[in-house]
Amino acid sequence: MSDLDLRKLRYFLVVAEELNYGRAADRLHIAQPVLSRQIAALEGELGATLFERSSRGTRLTETGVALVADARVLLAGAAALQRRARTAGRQGPHVTIGFMPGLIITAVVRDLVERFPGLTVDVQRTGWDTQVDLLLDGTIDASFVRLPVPRRGLRVSEIAREQRVVVLPVGHALLECADITLADLTAELLLQDPEAVPEWRDAVLEVRPHALSLERIGLPSFDSVEEKLEYVAAGRGIVILPASTAAFYTRGDIAIRPISDLAPGTIGLAVPADRSTPVLTALEEIAQRLSASVVSESADTRSA
């Protein structure tokens, strides 16, 4: 029990609430096989079966039912402990703000500090898989996130929208097209979680229903944008990114193009739903007022 993984407990709670691995995976923005492995690993750590799966669906075992209440208490206590530990010994008020790659929060932080003299603000870069987890476990106090994210336990305000682009290897045939649409990209392998681009996922399911499961077998688990772009440059697949993120990672062996029928992505500010402080309230107001400054200038998406 001393090595119990809190992330697995969070995954367990979502499955317990949904009683459906597919819906739970959608909420968590992870692949269903990954979720199944994490639950199996948790059951191995505990030495107990938590769910029973049959043709009639998924249900909690007696052990699983008992674990639900304990897990909620444990996760809430861990979050409170981390918040106390991070602020212990600090002189004056302190807040840690997360942000996704490509976002610039300098102006927001500057305005917040001017409003609260003596406030210490730390910033932390997050990733697709961690932007919510770090909030829920108390590592950060607020975060600029890229939607969609699971909103349970969070207060999320939408602050800006941003064009999304496809990143292709130099020399790709689609670079000759005047316009690139989602339909043009359904034959490509997406080197990221399809849940991050549900419009692409739905377009692929219409024309290649089995592609999302069969073609992704053996696909590496990527921890960073840089890793994905290495595979793009090698011709192994594509990624669809916010324009500011793609511009940040511009390199000579890839090309950035807009997707003509893909709606802009949404940027939000997320804070734990159970936390309301003058600093967080001010942060939410400042983020709305300075929303344009959060999205950096993107690269010319018509250039190779």
Side-chain angles (χ1 to χ4, degrees):
M1 290 295 292
S2 60
D3 294 327
L4 194 60
D5 187 335
L6 295 182
R7 179 175 294 187
K8 293 191 185 77
L9 280 182
R10 284 195 292 273
Y11 290 173
F12 161 75
L13 284 179
V14 174
V15 178
E17 291 167 358
E18 296 290 345
L19 291 179
N20 181 286
Y21 276 74
R23 290 196 301 268
D26 286 344
R27 272 181 54 186
L28 292 164
H29 297 291
I30 61 175
Q32 185 173 331
V34 173
L35 178 60
S36 296
R37 288 196 296 270
Q38 292 294 308
I39 296 300
L42 177 62
E43 290 177 324
E45 293 170 9
L46 296 174
T49 300
L50 302 175
F51 297 100
E52 291 182 353
R53 302 171 72 176
S54 68
S55 58
R56 291 174 294 179
T58 300
R59 70 178 187 89
L60 285 160
T61 64
E62 289 186 11
T63 303
V65 171
L67 182 60
V68 167
D70 291 338
R72 286 177 175 149
V73 171
L74 181 59
L75 290 172
L81 174 63
Q82 288 181 325
R83 285 195 292 268
R84 289 194 298 270
R86 286 189 294 106
T87 58
R90 293 185 180 273
Q91 299 298 316
H94 171 267
V95 66
T96 300
I97 304 174
F99 64 96
M100 284 287 282
L103 302 183
I104 297 177
I105 63 173
T106 308
V108 173
V109 171
R110 184 184 298 117
D111 198 309
L112 188 64
V113 172
E114 289 177 354
R115 187 172 302 191
F116 294 90
L119 175 68
T120 298
V121 178
D122 288 333
V123 298
Q124 180 169 335
R125 178 188 181 279
T126 63
W128 173 258
D129 294 329
T130 62
Q131 58 178 342
V132 168
D133 286 346
L134 294 176
L135 276 169
L136 296 178
D137 68 16
T139 301
I140 57 181
D141 302 293
S143 191
F144 288 87
V145 299
R146 295 192 184 276
L147 303 181
V149 297
R151 300 194 180 204
R152 186 180 296 271
L154 299 177
R155 184 169 67 252
V156 181
S157 54
E158 298 181 4
I159 63 170
R161 293 175 69 78
E162 179 184 11
Q163 181 186 44
R164 287 179 288 175
V165 299
V166 61
V167 185
L168 301 162
V170 167
H172 195 288
L174 285 176
L175 294 176
E176 301 299 323
C177 299
D179 291 301
I180 296 177
T181 66
L182 279 171
D184 295 326
L185 301 174
T186 56
E188 306 292 333
L189 175 63
L190 190 72
L191 299 172
Q192 63 202 102
D193 185 349
E195 298 303 324
V197 194
E199 300 91 343
W200 179 90
R201 176 203 63 200
D202 294 343
V204 169
L205 287 174
E206 288 186 6
V207 296
R208 297 189 297 135
H210 303 295
L212 295 185
S213 56
L214 297 178
E215 293 185 4
R216 304 188 71 79
I217 295 175
L219 188 66
S221 175
F222 300 105
D223 295 323
S224 68
V225 175
E226 292 93 335
E227 291 174 353
K228 296 183 183 76
L229 294 184
E230 287 294 330
Y231 275 69
V232 172
R236 300 280 295 276
I238 65 169
V239 293
I240 296 174
L241 300 173
S244 60
T245 302
F248 184 79
Y249 292 102
T250 297
R251 44 191 282 178
D253 49 6
I254 60 175
I256 302 168
R257 291 291 187 272
I259 305 170
S260 61
D261 58 348
L262 180 61
T266 303
I267 298 163
L269 177 69
V271 299
D274 60 353
R275 297 197 65 200
S276 181
T277 68
V279 169
L280 292 179
T281 299
L283 176 61
E284 290 172 301
E285 180 272 316
I286 293 168
Q288 290 287 350
R289 179 165 48 82
L290 300 180
S291 60
S293 70
V294 173
V295 181
S296 64
E297 294 185 4
S298 62
D300 181 355
T301 56
R302 303 303 301 180
S303 63

